[in-house]
Amino acid sequence: MDFSAVNWLAVIAAAVLAWLFGAAWYMALSKPWLKAAKLDPATMKKSPLPFVISFIAELVMAYIMALVVGAMTGGEPTLLAGLIFGFVLWLGFVATTLSVNHRYENFGWDLTLIDGGHWLGVLLIIGAVIGWFGAAAS
């Protein structure tokens, strides 16, 4: 695997866009999400830490996506390849993990759909940006 072929501009742009998507997603679905997650806004701590952690996580996701898409396309990522890998990685890891964890945690399918939809959007955005930007310039 060629770690030097990562397009860092694509990684940063993908993480920023994914983070902004998450902000919009959860602002739009805040009431149903709070209900599904069994959270009371009055008792929740207000902290910027979750926002920082989510951005760092999305940077890591974008970097890993760049490595995977680059390796699987022979160093020639495309928009379509990025979208396909985003979906496949979401289906294989995120959707399955959320489904299992939410059942053990006794949450309903509504939380799984909200969170799963968020992560699907994140991985499609990251994959699309990585594929669209292409490989790093030599």
Short mmCIF file of all heavy atoms in Angstrom, two decimals, residues 73-131:
data_model
loop_
_atom_site.label_atom_id
_atom_site.label_comp_id
_atom_site.label_asym_id
_atom_site.label_seq_id
_atom_site.Cartn_x
_atom_site.Cartn_y
_atom_site.Cartn_z
N THR A 73 -8.20 0.65 -6.72
CA THR A 73 -8.34 1.15 -8.10
C THR A 73 -6.99 1.28 -8.79
O THR A 73 -6.89 1.91 -9.83
CB THR A 73 -9.04 2.53 -8.11
OG1 THR A 73 -8.25 3.47 -7.37
CG2 THR A 73 -10.44 2.44 -7.56
N GLY A 74 -5.96 0.72 -8.20
CA GLY A 74 -4.63 0.80 -8.80
C GLY A 74 -4.10 2.23 -8.82
O GLY A 74 -3.36 2.60 -9.72
N GLY A 75 -4.48 3.01 -7.83
CA GLY A 75 -3.99 4.38 -7.74
C GLY A 75 -4.73 5.37 -8.62
O GLY A 75 -4.31 6.50 -8.77
N GLU A 76 -5.85 4.94 -9.20
CA GLU A 76 -6.65 5.80 -10.09
C GLU A 76 -8.08 5.90 -9.58
O GLU A 76 -9.02 5.42 -10.21
CB GLU A 76 -6.64 5.23 -11.51
CG GLU A 76 -5.26 5.15 -12.14
CD GLU A 76 -4.65 6.51 -12.39
OE1 GLU A 76 -5.40 7.48 -12.63
OE2 GLU A 76 -3.41 6.61 -12.36
N PRO A 77 -8.29 6.55 -8.42
CA PRO A 77 -9.65 6.63 -7.87
C PRO A 77 -10.57 7.45 -8.77
O PRO A 77 -10.13 8.38 -9.44
CB PRO A 77 -9.47 7.30 -6.52
CG PRO A 77 -8.12 7.89 -6.52
CD PRO A 77 -7.31 7.21 -7.58
N THR A 78 -11.85 7.08 -8.77
CA THR A 78 -12.86 7.81 -9.52
C THR A 78 -14.04 8.11 -8.60
O THR A 78 -14.17 7.49 -7.53
CB THR A 78 -13.38 6.99 -10.72
OG1 THR A 78 -14.06 5.83 -10.21
CG2 THR A 78 -12.26 6.59 -11.66
N LEU A 79 -14.87 9.02 -9.02
CA LEU A 79 -16.06 9.36 -8.24
C LEU A 79 -16.92 8.12 -8.00
O LEU A 79 -17.34 7.84 -6.88
CB LEU A 79 -16.87 10.44 -8.96
CG LEU A 79 -18.18 10.86 -8.33
CD1 LEU A 79 -17.96 11.52 -6.98
CD2 LEU A 79 -18.93 11.79 -9.26
N LEU A 80 -17.17 7.34 -9.05
CA LEU A 80 -17.99 6.14 -8.92
C LEU A 80 -17.36 5.13 -7.97
O LEU A 80 -18.05 4.55 -7.13
CB LEU A 80 -18.24 5.51 -10.29
CG LEU A 80 -19.13 4.25 -10.29
CD1 LEU A 80 -20.50 4.56 -9.71
CD2 LEU A 80 -19.25 3.68 -11.69
N ALA A 81 -16.05 4.92 -8.10
CA ALA A 81 -15.36 3.99 -7.20
C ALA A 81 -15.49 4.46 -5.76
O ALA A 81 -15.74 3.65 -4.85
CB ALA A 81 -13.89 3.85 -7.59
N GLY A 82 -15.33 5.75 -5.51
CA GLY A 82 -15.46 6.28 -4.16
C GLY A 82 -16.85 6.06 -3.60
O GLY A 82 -17.01 5.68 -2.43
N LEU A 83 -17.88 6.28 -4.41
CA LEU A 83 -19.25 6.05 -3.96
C LEU A 83 -19.51 4.57 -3.66
O LEU A 83 -20.13 4.23 -2.66
CB LEU A 83 -20.24 6.56 -5.01
CG LEU A 83 -20.38 8.07 -5.13
CD1 LEU A 83 -21.18 8.44 -6.37
CD2 LEU A 83 -21.01 8.66 -3.87
N ILE A 84 -19.01 3.72 -4.54
CA ILE A 84 -19.21 2.27 -4.34
C ILE A 84 -18.51 1.82 -3.06
O ILE A 84 -19.11 1.11 -2.24
CB ILE A 84 -18.73 1.47 -5.56
CG1 ILE A 84 -19.68 1.71 -6.74
CG2 ILE A 84 -18.61 -0.02 -5.24
CD1 ILE A 84 -19.19 1.18 -8.07
N PHE A 85 -17.26 2.22 -2.87
CA PHE A 85 -16.55 1.81 -1.66
C PHE A 85 -17.16 2.43 -0.42
O PHE A 85 -17.23 1.78 0.63
CB PHE A 85 -15.05 2.13 -1.76
CG PHE A 85 -14.31 1.13 -2.57
CD1 PHE A 85 -13.89 1.45 -3.86
CD2 PHE A 85 -14.05 -0.14 -2.09
CE1 PHE A 85 -13.23 0.51 -4.64
CE2 PHE A 85 -13.39 -1.08 -2.86
CZ PHE A 85 -12.98 -0.75 -4.13
N GLY A 86 -17.64 3.67 -0.51
CA GLY A 86 -18.34 4.27 0.63
C GLY A 86 -19.54 3.45 1.03
O GLY A 86 -19.74 3.16 2.22
N PHE A 87 -20.34 3.04 0.04
CA PHE A 87 -21.54 2.25 0.34
C PHE A 87 -21.17 0.86 0.88
O PHE A 87 -21.74 0.40 1.88
CB PHE A 87 -22.42 2.09 -0.89
CG PHE A 87 -23.62 1.21 -0.63
CD1 PHE A 87 -24.69 1.69 0.10
CD2 PHE A 87 -23.64 -0.10 -1.08
CE1 PHE A 87 -25.78 0.87 0.37
CE2 PHE A 87 -24.72 -0.92 -0.82
CZ PHE A 87 -25.79 -0.44 -0.09
N VAL A 88 -20.23 0.20 0.24
CA VAL A 88 -19.86 -1.16 0.65
C VAL A 88 -19.26 -1.17 2.05
O VAL A 88 -19.59 -2.04 2.87
CB VAL A 88 -18.90 -1.79 -0.39
CG1 VAL A 88 -18.27 -3.07 0.13
CG2 VAL A 88 -19.62 -2.03 -1.70
N LEU A 89 -18.40 -0.21 2.35
CA LEU A 89 -17.82 -0.14 3.69
C LEU A 89 -18.88 0.18 4.73
O LEU A 89 -18.87 -0.37 5.84
CB LEU A 89 -16.67 0.87 3.73
CG LEU A 89 -15.44 0.48 2.91
CD1 LEU A 89 -14.45 1.62 2.86
CD2 LEU A 89 -14.80 -0.78 3.45
N TRP A 90 -19.83 1.06 4.39
CA TRP A 90 -20.94 1.35 5.30
C TRP A 90 -21.76 0.09 5.55
O TRP A 90 -22.03 -0.26 6.71
CB TRP A 90 -21.84 2.44 4.71
CG TRP A 90 -23.10 2.63 5.50
CD1 TRP A 90 -23.25 3.35 6.64
CD2 TRP A 90 -24.37 2.05 5.21
NE1 TRP A 90 -24.56 3.26 7.08
CE2 TRP A 90 -25.27 2.46 6.21
CE3 TRP A 90 -24.86 1.23 4.20
CZ2 TRP A 90 -26.61 2.08 6.24
CZ3 TRP A 90 -26.18 0.85 4.22
CH2 TRP A 90 -27.05 1.27 5.23
N LEU A 91 -22.13 -0.61 4.48
CA LEU A 91 -22.96 -1.81 4.61
C LEU A 91 -22.23 -2.90 5.41
O LEU A 91 -22.82 -3.52 6.30
CB LEU A 91 -23.34 -2.34 3.23
CG LEU A 91 -24.25 -3.57 3.21
CD1 LEU A 91 -25.60 -3.24 3.83
CD2 LEU A 91 -24.43 -4.05 1.77
N GLY A 92 -20.96 -3.10 5.12
CA GLY A 92 -20.21 -4.18 5.74
C GLY A 92 -19.81 -3.92 7.18
O GLY A 92 -19.68 -4.87 7.96
N PHE A 93 -19.62 -2.67 7.55
CA PHE A 93 -19.11 -2.39 8.89
C PHE A 93 -20.06 -1.53 9.72
O PHE A 93 -20.35 -1.85 10.86
CB PHE A 93 -17.73 -1.72 8.81
CG PHE A 93 -16.70 -2.62 8.22
CD1 PHE A 93 -16.31 -2.47 6.89
CD2 PHE A 93 -16.13 -3.64 8.96
CE1 PHE A 93 -15.37 -3.31 6.33
CE2 PHE A 93 -15.20 -4.48 8.40
CZ PHE A 93 -14.81 -4.33 7.08
N VAL A 94 -20.53 -0.43 9.19
CA VAL A 94 -21.32 0.51 9.99
C VAL A 94 -22.74 -0.01 10.23
O VAL A 94 -23.20 -0.07 11.36
CB VAL A 94 -21.35 1.91 9.34
CG1 VAL A 94 -22.22 2.86 10.14
CG2 VAL A 94 -19.94 2.45 9.21
N ALA A 95 -23.44 -0.37 9.16
CA ALA A 95 -24.82 -0.82 9.31
C ALA A 95 -24.90 -2.05 10.20
O ALA A 95 -25.80 -2.16 11.04
CB ALA A 95 -25.44 -1.11 7.93
N THR A 96 -23.98 -2.96 10.01
CA THR A 96 -24.00 -4.18 10.83
C THR A 96 -23.67 -3.87 12.29
O THR A 96 -24.33 -4.38 13.20
CB THR A 96 -23.01 -5.21 10.28
OG1 THR A 96 -21.71 -4.62 10.18
CG2 THR A 96 -23.44 -5.71 8.91
N THR A 97 -22.67 -3.03 12.52
CA THR A 97 -22.27 -2.69 13.89
C THR A 97 -23.39 -1.97 14.62
O THR A 97 -23.70 -2.30 15.77
CB THR A 97 -21.00 -1.83 13.88
OG1 THR A 97 -19.96 -2.56 13.24
CG2 THR A 97 -20.56 -1.47 15.28
N LEU A 98 -23.98 -0.96 13.98
CA LEU A 98 -25.07 -0.24 14.62
C LEU A 98 -26.25 -1.16 14.92
O LEU A 98 -26.86 -1.08 15.99
CB LEU A 98 -25.55 0.92 13.75
CG LEU A 98 -24.65 2.14 13.66
CD1 LEU A 98 -25.24 3.15 12.69
CD2 LEU A 98 -24.44 2.77 15.02
N SER A 99 -26.58 -2.03 13.99
CA SER A 99 -27.70 -2.95 14.19
C SER A 99 -27.47 -3.85 15.41
O SER A 99 -28.37 -4.03 16.23
CB SER A 99 -27.91 -3.81 12.95
OG SER A 99 -28.30 -3.00 11.86
N VAL A 100 -26.28 -4.36 15.54
CA VAL A 100 -25.96 -5.22 16.68
C VAL A 100 -25.91 -4.42 17.97
O VAL A 100 -26.56 -4.77 18.97
CB VAL A 100 -24.62 -5.96 16.44
CG1 VAL A 100 -24.15 -6.67 17.70
CG2 VAL A 100 -24.75 -6.94 15.28
N ASN A 101 -25.14 -3.33 17.98
CA ASN A 101 -24.99 -2.55 19.21
C ASN A 101 -26.32 -2.00 19.71
O ASN A 101 -26.60 -2.07 20.91
CB ASN A 101 -24.00 -1.40 19.01
CG ASN A 101 -22.57 -1.88 18.97
OD1 ASN A 101 -22.29 -3.06 19.08
ND2 ASN A 101 -21.66 -0.95 18.79
N HIS A 102 -27.13 -1.47 18.82
CA HIS A 102 -28.41 -0.90 19.26
C HIS A 102 -29.36 -1.97 19.79
O HIS A 102 -30.17 -1.68 20.66
CB HIS A 102 -29.06 -0.10 18.14
CG HIS A 102 -28.37 1.20 17.88
ND1 HIS A 102 -28.63 1.95 16.76
CD2 HIS A 102 -27.44 1.89 18.57
CE1 HIS A 102 -27.89 3.05 16.79
NE2 HIS A 102 -27.15 3.02 17.88
N ARG A 103 -29.27 -3.20 19.30
CA ARG A 103 -30.12 -4.26 19.85
C ARG A 103 -29.66 -4.61 21.27
O ARG A 103 -30.47 -4.78 22.17
CB ARG A 103 -30.09 -5.52 18.98
CG ARG A 103 -30.58 -5.39 17.55
CD ARG A 103 -32.00 -4.87 17.32
NE ARG A 103 -32.23 -3.48 17.59
CZ ARG A 103 -31.86 -2.44 16.80
NH1 ARG A 103 -31.21 -2.64 15.67
NH2 ARG A 103 -32.12 -1.21 17.14
N TYR A 104 -28.35 -4.74 21.48
CA TYR A 104 -27.84 -5.04 22.82
C TYR A 104 -28.11 -3.90 23.80
O TYR A 104 -28.32 -4.13 24.99
CB TYR A 104 -26.34 -5.33 22.80
CG TYR A 104 -26.00 -6.74 22.40
CD1 TYR A 104 -25.47 -7.02 21.15
CD2 TYR A 104 -26.21 -7.79 23.28
CE1 TYR A 104 -25.16 -8.32 20.78
CE2 TYR A 104 -25.91 -9.10 22.92
CZ TYR A 104 -25.39 -9.35 21.66
OH TYR A 104 -25.08 -10.64 21.30
N GLU A 105 -28.11 -2.67 23.29
CA GLU A 105 -28.33 -1.50 24.15
C GLU A 105 -29.82 -1.21 24.33
O GLU A 105 -30.19 -0.24 24.98
CB GLU A 105 -27.61 -0.28 23.56
CG GLU A 105 -26.11 -0.45 23.56
CD GLU A 105 -25.37 0.54 22.66
OE1 GLU A 105 -26.02 1.21 21.82
OE2 GLU A 105 -24.15 0.63 22.79
N ASN A 106 -30.67 -2.04 23.73
CA ASN A 106 -32.12 -1.95 23.86
C ASN A 106 -32.69 -0.65 23.26
O ASN A 106 -33.64 -0.09 23.79
CB ASN A 106 -32.56 -2.12 25.32
CG ASN A 106 -34.00 -2.56 25.43
OD1 ASN A 106 -34.52 -3.20 24.53
ND2 ASN A 106 -34.65 -2.18 26.51
N PHE A 107 -32.07 -0.19 22.18
CA PHE A 107 -32.61 0.95 21.45
C PHE A 107 -33.48 0.43 20.32
O PHE A 107 -33.31 -0.69 19.84
CB PHE A 107 -31.50 1.83 20.87
CG PHE A 107 -30.75 2.61 21.91
CD1 PHE A 107 -29.41 2.36 22.15
CD2 PHE A 107 -31.38 3.60 22.64
CE1 PHE A 107 -28.71 3.09 23.10
CE2 PHE A 107 -30.69 4.33 23.60
CZ PHE A 107 -29.36 4.08 23.83
N GLY A 108 -34.38 1.27 19.86
CA GLY A 108 -35.26 0.89 18.76
C GLY A 108 -34.59 1.07 17.41
O GLY A 108 -33.51 1.67 17.29
N TRP A 109 -35.29 0.59 16.38
CA TRP A 109 -34.78 0.70 15.02
C TRP A 109 -34.76 2.15 14.54
O TRP A 109 -34.04 2.48 13.61
CB TRP A 109 -35.58 -0.18 14.07
CG TRP A 109 -35.21 -1.62 14.22
CD1 TRP A 109 -35.91 -2.58 14.89
CD2 TRP A 109 -34.04 -2.26 13.71
NE1 TRP A 109 -35.24 -3.78 14.83
CE2 TRP A 109 -34.08 -3.61 14.10
CE3 TRP A 109 -32.95 -1.82 12.95
CZ2 TRP A 109 -33.10 -4.53 13.77
CZ3 TRP A 109 -31.97 -2.74 12.62
CH2 TRP A 109 -32.05 -4.07 13.03
N ASP A 110 -35.55 3.01 15.20
CA ASP A 110 -35.54 4.41 14.79
C ASP A 110 -34.17 5.04 15.00
O ASP A 110 -33.68 5.78 14.15
CB ASP A 110 -36.63 5.21 15.51
CG ASP A 110 -36.67 5.01 17.02
OD1 ASP A 110 -35.99 4.10 17.55
OD2 ASP A 110 -37.41 5.76 17.69
N LEU A 111 -33.50 4.71 16.10
CA LEU A 111 -32.15 5.23 16.33
C LEU A 111 -31.17 4.65 15.31
O LEU A 111 -30.32 5.36 14.78
CB LEU A 111 -31.68 4.92 17.75
CG LEU A 111 -30.30 5.47 18.11
CD1 LEU A 111 -30.30 6.99 18.07
CD2 LEU A 111 -29.86 4.98 19.48
N THR A 112 -31.32 3.38 15.02
CA THR A 112 -30.44 2.73 14.04
C THR A 112 -30.61 3.38 12.66
O THR A 112 -29.61 3.63 11.97
CB THR A 112 -30.74 1.22 13.95
OG1 THR A 112 -30.64 0.65 15.26
CG2 THR A 112 -29.77 0.51 13.03
N LEU A 113 -31.83 3.69 12.29
CA LEU A 113 -32.07 4.33 10.99
C LEU A 113 -31.50 5.75 10.96
O LEU A 113 -30.89 6.15 9.95
CB LEU A 113 -33.56 4.34 10.67
CG LEU A 113 -34.17 2.97 10.38
CD1 LEU A 113 -35.68 3.08 10.24
CD2 LEU A 113 -33.56 2.36 9.12
N ILE A 114 -31.67 6.50 12.04
CA ILE A 114 -31.14 7.87 12.06
C ILE A 114 -29.61 7.85 12.03
O ILE A 114 -28.98 8.52 11.21
CB ILE A 114 -31.66 8.64 13.29
CG1 ILE A 114 -33.17 8.87 13.17
CG2 ILE A 114 -30.91 9.97 13.45
CD1 ILE A 114 -33.83 9.38 14.45
N ASP A 115 -29.00 7.09 12.93
CA ASP A 115 -27.54 7.02 12.98
C ASP A 115 -26.97 6.36 11.72
O ASP A 115 -25.96 6.81 11.18
CB ASP A 115 -27.06 6.27 14.22
CG ASP A 115 -27.26 7.05 15.51
OD1 ASP A 115 -27.50 8.28 15.44
OD2 ASP A 115 -27.18 6.44 16.59
N GLY A 116 -27.62 5.29 11.26
CA GLY A 116 -27.15 4.61 10.06
C GLY A 116 -27.23 5.49 8.83
O GLY A 116 -26.33 5.50 7.99
N GLY A 117 -28.31 6.27 8.73
CA GLY A 117 -28.44 7.21 7.62
C GLY A 117 -27.35 8.27 7.65
O GLY A 117 -26.81 8.65 6.60
N HIS A 118 -27.02 8.73 8.86
CA HIS A 118 -25.93 9.70 8.99
C HIS A 118 -24.62 9.12 8.48
O HIS A 118 -23.92 9.73 7.67
CB HIS A 118 -25.79 10.13 10.46
CG HIS A 118 -24.49 10.79 10.74
ND1 HIS A 118 -23.50 10.16 11.45
CD2 HIS A 118 -23.98 11.99 10.37
CE1 HIS A 118 -22.45 10.97 11.53
NE2 HIS A 118 -22.71 12.08 10.89
N TRP A 119 -24.28 7.92 8.95
CA TRP A 119 -22.99 7.34 8.56
C TRP A 119 -22.97 6.93 7.09
O TRP A 119 -21.92 6.98 6.45
CB TRP A 119 -22.62 6.17 9.47
CG TRP A 119 -22.26 6.68 10.83
CD1 TRP A 119 -22.91 6.43 12.00
CD2 TRP A 119 -21.17 7.55 11.16
NE1 TRP A 119 -22.30 7.11 13.02
CE2 TRP A 119 -21.23 7.80 12.54
CE3 TRP A 119 -20.16 8.15 10.42
CZ2 TRP A 119 -20.31 8.61 13.20
CZ3 TRP A 119 -19.25 8.97 11.07
CH2 TRP A 119 -19.32 9.19 12.45
N LEU A 120 -24.12 6.58 6.53
CA LEU A 120 -24.17 6.32 5.09
C LEU A 120 -23.84 7.60 4.33
O LEU A 120 -23.02 7.59 3.41
CB LEU A 120 -25.55 5.80 4.68
CG LEU A 120 -25.77 5.61 3.18
CD1 LEU A 120 -24.77 4.62 2.59
CD2 LEU A 120 -27.20 5.17 2.91
N GLY A 121 -24.47 8.70 4.73
CA GLY A 121 -24.18 9.99 4.09
C GLY A 121 -22.72 10.36 4.23
O GLY A 121 -22.08 10.82 3.26
N VAL A 122 -22.16 10.18 5.41
CA VAL A 122 -20.75 10.51 5.66
C VAL A 122 -19.84 9.70 4.73
O VAL A 122 -18.96 10.26 4.07
CB VAL A 122 -20.38 10.26 7.14
CG1 VAL A 122 -18.87 10.20 7.34
CG2 VAL A 122 -20.99 11.34 8.03
N LEU A 123 -20.04 8.40 4.67
CA LEU A 123 -19.16 7.56 3.86
C LEU A 123 -19.35 7.80 2.36
O LEU A 123 -18.38 7.72 1.60
CB LEU A 123 -19.32 6.10 4.23
CG LEU A 123 -18.66 5.75 5.57
CD1 LEU A 123 -19.09 4.37 6.05
CD2 LEU A 123 -17.15 5.83 5.46
N LEU A 124 -20.57 8.10 1.94
CA LEU A 124 -20.77 8.43 0.52
C LEU A 124 -20.09 9.75 0.18
O LEU A 124 -19.47 9.88 -0.89
CB LEU A 124 -22.26 8.49 0.19
CG LEU A 124 -23.00 7.15 0.18
CD1 LEU A 124 -24.49 7.38 -0.05
CD2 LEU A 124 -22.42 6.19 -0.85
N ILE A 125 -20.21 10.73 1.06
CA ILE A 125 -19.55 12.02 0.83
C ILE A 125 -18.04 11.85 0.79
O ILE A 125 -17.36 12.33 -0.12
CB ILE A 125 -19.96 13.05 1.90
CG1 ILE A 125 -21.41 13.47 1.67
CG2 ILE A 125 -19.02 14.26 1.90
CD1 ILE A 125 -22.03 14.23 2.83
N ILE A 126 -17.50 11.14 1.77
CA ILE A 126 -16.05 10.93 1.82
C ILE A 126 -15.59 10.19 0.57
O ILE A 126 -14.62 10.59 -0.08
CB ILE A 126 -15.64 10.19 3.11
CG1 ILE A 126 -15.80 11.13 4.31
CG2 ILE A 126 -14.21 9.66 3.01
CD1 ILE A 126 -15.58 10.46 5.66
N GLY A 127 -16.28 9.12 0.22
CA GLY A 127 -15.91 8.35 -0.97
C GLY A 127 -15.98 9.19 -2.24
O GLY A 127 -15.08 9.14 -3.08
N ALA A 128 -17.04 9.98 -2.36
CA ALA A 128 -17.21 10.82 -3.55
C ALA A 128 -16.09 11.85 -3.66
O ALA A 128 -15.52 12.05 -4.74
CB ALA A 128 -18.57 11.51 -3.52
N VAL A 129 -15.76 12.48 -2.55
CA VAL A 129 -14.70 13.50 -2.58
C VAL A 129 -13.35 12.87 -2.89
O VAL A 129 -12.59 13.38 -3.72
CB VAL A 129 -14.67 14.31 -1.26
CG1 VAL A 129 -13.46 15.22 -1.20
CG2 VAL A 129 -15.95 15.12 -1.10
N ILE A 130 -13.06 11.77 -2.24
CA ILE A 130 -11.78 11.07 -2.48
C ILE A 130 -11.70 10.67 -3.95
O ILE A 130 -10.67 10.87 -4.61
CB ILE A 130 -11.63 9.84 -1.56
CG1 ILE A 130 -11.56 10.26 -0.09
CG2 ILE A 130 -10.45 8.98 -1.97
CD1 ILE A 130 -10.41 11.15 0.30
N GLY A 131 -12.77 10.10 -4.47
CA GLY A 131 -12.77 9.68 -5.88
C GLY A 131 -12.72 10.85 -6.84
O GLY A 131 -12.02 10.79 -7.85
#
